[in-house]
Amino acid sequence: MAGIQERTFIAIKPDGVQRGLIGDIIKRFEQKGFRLVAMKFVHASEDLLKQHYYELKDRPFYPDLVKYMNSGPVVAMVWEGLNIVKTGRVMLGETNPADSKPGSIRGDFCIQVGRNIIHGSDSVESANKEINLWFKPEELVTYKSCAHDWLYE
């Protein structure tokens, strides 16, 4: 099943870290059945953040976004599973927490768009780009979860 190997980049932003939501967020992905293949706790450099948000460089909020993301540590992760990019985005909720459904991460934990605690790749292409930006290939762990056969046919 080729789709099982899809990967996405998820980052818990500084506000999520400061609010102590790391475990709650990881738990949701684990309970869904997705597999964590890489994780690091890092204070991202301004250069890394400018590369990460490069597509937004002409937007008026770009400088504040980079400053906010550089204001404290983040948890950068790579998750793997069937349709993980699309499903991960649903789990995160809308960019604006006010538009997010209860049960989504942003719907349950956030109020304002400028403090929406989490980033998730919006396409397989952006996931690959973001994963390569934040992680070296040798930092990605390949393994078969013992729950695999209970999650996939």
Side-chain angles (χ1 to χ4, degrees):
M1 189 184 277
I4 292 174
Q5 296 306 311
E6 186 175 287
R7 291 179 171 170
T8 194
F9 175 77
I10 301 289
I12 303 172
K13 297 177 180 181
D15 53 324
V17 171
Q18 292 292 338
R19 291 179 55 202
L21 298 173
I22 297 167
D24 290 322
I25 291 168
I26 290 172
K27 183 177 182 179
R28 288 178 182 227
F29 282 88
E30 287 179 327
Q31 285 180 326
K32 182 72 175 176
F34 293 129
R35 183 174 50 208
L36 181 65
V37 297
M39 181 169 66
K40 61 173 80 168
F41 187 60
V42 61
H43 195 134
S45 70
E46 196 172 312
D47 287 342
L48 174 63
L49 295 167
K50 285 180 177 179
Q51 289 177 65
H52 180 86
Y53 289 112
Y54 182 77
E55 288 84 27
L56 302 174
K57 72 181 180 346
D58 296 326
R59 305 290 292 269
F61 58 82
Y62 175 77
D64 288 337
L65 175 61
V66 171
K67 183 179 175 184
Y68 151 65
M69 288 295 292
N70 183 249
S71 70
V74 300
V75 177
M77 299 175 283
V78 179
W79 289 89
E80 187 175 84
L82 181 64
N83 298 317
I84 180 74
V85 173
K86 181 180 176 184
T87 305
R89 294 287 292 187
V90 171
M91 291 171 64
L92 266 57
E94 300 300 320
T95 302
N96 184 346
D99 298 329
S100 296
K101 292 183 175 12
S104 69
I105 292 168
R106 291 177 179 147
D108 288 351
F109 298 122
C110 305
I111 297 170
Q112 284 191 307
V113 69
R115 297 292 180 265
N116 66 8
I117 72 168
I118 194 163
H119 165 85
S121 302
D122 61 7
S123 69
V124 172
E125 295 74 29
S126 66
N128 291 333
K129 182 186 84 90
E130 292 168 355
I131 290 166
N132 289 328
L133 183 62
W134 288 79
F135 291 92
K136 298 175 186 141
E138 61 270 19
E139 294 177 306
L140 303 174
V141 179
T142 301
Y143 66 101
K144 182 178 177 182
S145 167
C146 60
H148 180 274
D149 294 338
W150 297 108
L151 293 163
Y152 298 104
E153 296 179 61

